[in-house]
Amino acid sequence: MSGEGWVAVVGTGPAGPEWLTPETAGILEQATDLVGYGPYLDRVAAGHQRRHASDNREELARAGHALDLAAEGAKVAVVSGGDPGVFAMGAAVLEAVDRDTAGRWQDVAVTVHPGVSAMQAAAARLGAPLGADFCAISLSDNLKPLAVVERRVRLAAEAGLVMALYNPASRARPWQLGRVLEVLREVHPPDTPVIFATAAGRGDQERLTVTTLGEADPARADMRTLVLVGIPATRVLQGPDGTLRVYTPRYYEEAE
C-alpha cells in the first residue's frame, strides 16, 4: 500500500502470530498507527507504531478516530480479532464513512483484508462441521432485538444450515444461549451434534467439547466461545485413540 494517509482493516486471526496472514503482517509493518480493542492490539508484536486502544463497544468512535488519523496523513491499521469482515471492524469503518455527511473522510483510502475467522479455526480443530451449507449468526442483542435473533436461528435450522453462533453469552445475558438452544430443539432432533469451542487456537486456554443438542449445556459458553450447531446429517467419528472428528456431508439427504 502507498500514498498519503490510509486505513486498512485487518484481523489477527483467533489467537497468536501463527494465525496471522502474511498480507496482514506486511500491512502492520507499514502502519504508523494501530487502532483497536486493547486485547486485539496485544496480539500484535511491539514495534514502531503508535497504539490507540479503546473499549470493545466503542466501534464507531474507534472507526472515526482511525479515519481522522488517516485524514491527517497517518497509515492506520484497524485491528480486529479473527476476520475483520465477520462481526468486526470492517463494517464499522465503512458505516462511519457512509455516515460522513460532512465529507471529512472522502479522500481517505479504506481497504479490508481477510483473516482467519473464529468459525474457521474452531471447525478445523474438530474436522469439517462446516463442510456443507452453513451460516453465521451473532446472538448479541446489542444491535438487533432478541426476537430477530430467534427468528433467524429458527429459519436457518428449518433450512438445514449448519450454524456458527457468535457472541453466545456475556455477564449481561447469560440466559440467551439457553433460549436459542430451546428454539433449535423445536426443529432438530436431540442427537444433533453441537460443538462448544472456547479460545480456539490459544494453547492451554483452548477447550473443545463435542456434545448433542439434547445434552448441550449453555453454561459451557462465555464470550470466548463459538458454538457450532450441526444438522441431523452431521457425523461424529471416533478414532482409535478416542479423538473425535466431526463433519457434515456435502451431499443433501432428503430425510433431513
Side-chain angles (χ1 to χ4, degrees):
M1 301 179 65
S2 61
E4 296 301 321
W6 45 255
V7 170
V9 192
V10 300
T12 61
E18 66 273 18
W19 297 91
L20 198 67
T21 69
E23 180 193 43
T24 294
I27 291 169
L28 292 171
E29 181 60 31
Q30 292 179 57
T32 60
D33 293 75
L34 305 180
V35 173
Y37 177 45
Y40 297 153
L41 291 183
D42 290 343
R43 296 180 186 175
V44 180
H48 61 277
Q49 306 94 336
R50 295 182 294 267
R51 294 181 178 229
H52 310 264
S54 57
D55 183 80
N56 198 30
R57 293 196 176 192
E58 298 176 0
E59 291 183 341
L60 283 177
R62 183 185 309 143
H65 181 49
L67 290 159
D68 281 339
L69 289 170
E72 296 168 359
K75 297 175 173 60
V76 185
V78 176
V79 180
S80 291
D83 181 287
V86 180
F87 304 124
M89 285 301 298
V93 171
L94 293 175
E95 181 181 349
V97 172
D98 190 29
R99 292 185 179 188
D100 177 27
T101 56
R104 291 179 295 165
W105 306 316
Q106 62 180 350
D107 296 326
V108 175
V110 177
T111 55
V112 180
H113 303 267
V116 179
S117 69
M119 63 183 171
Q120 289 173 301
R125 280 295 199 247
L126 271 303
L130 304 180
D133 295 340
F134 69 91
C135 65
I137 298 176
S138 171
L139 301 192
S140 173
D141 59 358
N142 290 331
L143 300 175
K144 59 182 180 290
L146 178 59
V148 171
V149 175
E150 292 182 5
R151 181 171 182 269
R152 290 177 179 175
V153 167
R154 181 182 299 278
L155 290 173
E158 290 175 350
L161 298 176
V162 176
M163 277 175 261
L165 302 180
Y166 280 73
N167 305 314
S170 72
R171 282 174 292 185
R173 46 182 175 79
W175 51 269
Q176 200 153 302
L177 177 59
R179 172 59 191 141
V180 167
L181 291 173
E182 289 175 8
V183 171
L184 288 166
R185 288 170 184 140
E186 293 171 6
V187 180
H188 287 325
D191 59 351
T192 302
V194 173
I195 296 167
F196 289 83
T198 299
R202 300 184 209 172
D204 293 342
Q205 298 179 55
E206 180 180 271
R207 297 197 311 274
L208 303 171
T209 301
V210 180
T211 183
T212 63
L213 186 55
E215 297 294 328
D217 181 0
R220 289 186 178 276
D222 59 29
M223 283 301 288
R224 301 174 304 156
T225 304
L226 184 89
V227 181
L228 296 173
V229 181
I231 57 177
T234 301
R235 300 285 306 279
V236 179
L237 311 178
Q238 183 168 351
D241 61 352
T243 300
L244 297 181
R245 289 289 178 263
V246 183
Y247 82 100
T248 302
R250 294 169 293 167
Y251 54 82
Y252 174 75
E253 292 183 340
E254 192 66 37
E256 285 179 19

